[in-house]
Amino acid sequence: MYIFVDYDGTLVKNSEEEFMKVYFSILSRKVKLPVEKIFNLVMHSIYEITKIEDSSKNLFERFLESISKKTGKDKNYWYNIFLEFYKNEFDELRKFIIINEKLTNFIKYSNYKFIFASNPLFPEIAVKKRIEFVNLSLNNFFYIATMENSHYAKPNPKFFAEILEKLGIAADKCLMIGDTENDKASEKVGIKFINVNNFEPELIKIYFEK
């Protein structure tokens, strides 16, 4: 049995809005742009790559192309900026994280196969650190979604379908734990959804049997 797990509002108790507020404050210092400007640049690029499908390029490639066009600075410039940011300043976010220990302990000590299914809007280097922020390791996950290995993002059900196809697993063998309608989109491909607020380790087996 496979369990897809969201991050913001799920593995961490912080909402995505709380995380992004701190994230852009730190990124603003790195790129030497006002918070509002870098926020708009990044979020408009994210909007483009999530709304316009292009299975020929992964999300990270398309993000770099989008933000490059908006700024007139080439893709290598933005690639290096973000790489340095995730290697260094990104670590500051760790101190703001409130871990959902009930869920992280469940992941550590149960025999299910877990799929890290946070929206793939961070590159691999950042995703690995986010996992470390909640005191988990890469080995705790059977598969980890990142910008580099994803072509779609939630709430597009193709995000889930791509993972199912890639791993060769059936939707009825899976469960999605999350906190928003983005996560509930898993139901459109046949993956049962459970809101993290209703999560109890001893009930997981029952959800699979429903």
Side-chain angles (χ1 to χ4, degrees):
M1 299 297 187
Y2 301 84
I3 299 179
F4 289 61
V5 186
D6 183 45
Y7 191 86
D8 297 297
T10 304
L11 281 173
V12 301
K13 295 183 178 181
N14 313 72
S15 67
E16 184 175 359
E17 291 75 18
E18 291 173 320
F19 179 87
M20 297 304 262
K21 183 178 180 180
V22 181
Y23 172 89
F24 280 107
S25 175
I26 299 170
L27 181 59
S28 169
R29 299 201 313 264
K30 177 67 176 179
V31 299
K32 297 180 174 59
L33 289 173
V35 172
E36 184 178 355
K37 186 170 181 61
I38 188 60
F39 174 85
N40 287 332
L41 278 172
V42 170
M43 296 311 294
H44 287 165
S45 296
I46 291 294
Y47 179 83
E48 283 185 10
I49 67 174
T50 55
K51 298 302 179 185
I52 303 171
E53 295 182 11
D54 180 1
S55 60
S56 68
K57 298 176 183 177
N58 66 44
L59 291 177
F60 196 30
E61 292 172 322
R62 289 162 58 203
F63 171 78
L64 291 173
E65 287 180 358
S66 178
I67 198 168
S68 175
K69 287 177 183 176
K70 288 176 172 51
T71 59
K73 295 181 178 178
D74 66 31
K75 291 185 292 184
N76 286 334
Y77 168 84
W78 285 108
Y79 175 82
N80 290 327
I81 280 284
F82 280 104
L83 190 66
E84 290 176 10
F85 172 69
Y86 288 125
K87 279 183 178 179
N88 301 300
E89 291 89 348
F90 190 65
D91 289 339
E92 294 179 39
L93 281 152
R94 184 169 196 155
K95 63 177 175 287
F96 296 99
I97 295 296
I98 303 171
I99 301 172
N100 182 343
E101 293 188 355
K102 181 194 288 187
L103 183 53
T104 56
N105 285 334
F106 175 66
I107 291 172
K108 287 177 185 176
Y109 303 117
S110 70
N111 294 319
Y112 293 105
K113 293 179 179 178
F114 293 92
I115 293 170
F116 185 85
S118 181
N119 224 357
L121 303 178
F122 290 92
E124 182 180 6
I125 183 175
V127 172
K128 287 179 177 179
K129 288 198 171 186
R130 298 188 90 199
I131 290 171
E132 292 169 1
F133 290 171
V134 295
N135 298 326
L136 292 174
S137 75
L138 304 184
N139 293 332
N140 290 125
F141 295 95
F142 183 73
Y143 179 84
I144 298 170
T146 68
M147 282 186 110
E148 289 92 335
N149 64 17
S150 302
H151 298 85
Y152 312 99
K154 296 184 284 187
N156 190 335
K158 289 183 180 180
F159 165 73
F160 300 99
E162 182 175 39
I163 295 174
L164 293 177
E165 182 178 359
K166 189 177 292 187
L167 299 181
I169 55 181
D172 62 2
K173 302 296 183 185
C174 302
L175 179 70
M176 174 75 210
I177 301 176
D179 67 310
T180 69
E181 290 297 311
N182 281 357
D183 305 312
K184 197 173 183 180
S186 65
E187 294 182 336
K188 294 180 180 178
V189 298
I191 299 174
K192 293 175 183 176
F193 168 77
I194 176 174
N195 191 291
V196 67
N197 294 324
N198 301 322
F199 165 74
E200 294 293 342
E202 61 272 16
L203 296 178
I204 292 298
K205 186 176 180 181
I206 296 173
Y207 275 92
F208 276 117
E209 293 171 349
K210 284 183 179 179

